[in-house]
Amino acid sequence: MERASLIAEITASLVEGVKDLYGIFDIGVGEDNLRDEPSPWSVEGPGPGEWIDVGPNAVMLESAGVPYVRYELWDGEPPDDGSGECAWTGEVYLSTGRISAMSMVPGFPHHNAVFDLGRRATTWRLRVRWKFLDNDREPLFPRYIYEVDLFTLQFWLPPF
């Protein structure tokens, strides 16, 4: 009989550069016209001196530079490697599990690549790490990027 791994592993990931980052939204709420689900637009965003605000169907991030986002889906709690200048860990409810970085050019929202977590109506454990990168030595992001804000969002299911 094979034993389950005691070390959590990434099961899916996606990295993208995002111009005019507004936040990470569960885009399925709007696309599927889920009127009874919380609107990601109701999450106001980080307050003064804060870099993150989390609410149902949204993770709002403050970026002063060019943002890059890395999404990771884990099969268990990922190890906390301590990387990043700031970190936040908690829970987020996602109605459809289809998330995308939202860009906001005055008055015109646009979603970027979609990362599908594969589960609807789920409260996920989430760790978000932010760090400013001023060189090309970050192994989980493309080598050609520098002087950017790197956000890593790690999702996993809570233990039962």
Side-chain angles (χ1 to χ4, degrees):
M1 176 183 262
E2 205 173 303
R3 295 176 120 189
S5 173
L6 297 177
I7 300 173
E9 296 180 356
I10 293 177
T11 60
S13 66
L14 171 71
V15 176
E16 71 173 332
V18 179
K19 185 175 181 180
D20 301 313
L21 177 66
Y22 185 71
I24 310 299
F25 283 13
D26 186 321
I27 62 161
V29 173
E31 289 180 345
D32 296 350
N33 202 24
L34 302 177
R35 295 174 194 235
D36 294 333
E37 292 293 316
S39 170
W41 294 101
S42 66
V43 180
E44 293 184 16
E50 298 176 349
W51 65 279
I52 186 169
D53 187 23
V54 178
N57 294 317
V59 177
M60 304 299 287
L61 301 168
E62 183 69 35
S63 176
V66 176
Y68 271 75
V69 178
R70 178 179 171 86
Y71 306 99
E72 297 177 351
L73 176 60
W74 288 75
D75 62 3
E77 182 173 354
D80 185 3
D81 63 9
S83 68
E85 295 175 12
C86 296
W88 177 91
T89 302
E91 293 185 339
V92 63
Y93 172 80
L94 298 173
S95 296
T96 71
R98 292 190 334 265
I99 58 175
S100 177
M102 295 296 292
S103 295
M104 183 65 79
V105 179
F108 297 100
H110 166 76
H111 72 76
N112 293 272
V114 176
F115 188 70
D116 191 346
L117 295 167
R119 292 180 70 128
R120 297 178 70 87
T122 301
T123 298
W124 293 90
R125 293 290 296 155
L126 171 62
R127 180 181 300 130
V128 181
R129 290 191 312 241
W130 167 83
K131 78 181 199 181
F132 180 77
L133 181 68
D134 62 359
N135 61 40
D136 67 350
R137 296 184 189 105
E138 179 60 40
L140 298 177
F141 290 84
R143 289 195 50 81
Y144 59 83
I145 64 173
Y146 61 95
E147 294 186 355
V148 297
D149 287 317
L150 303 178
F151 295 101
T152 301
L153 288 82
Q154 300 173 314
F155 294 88
W156 70 97
L157 293 172
F160 293 93

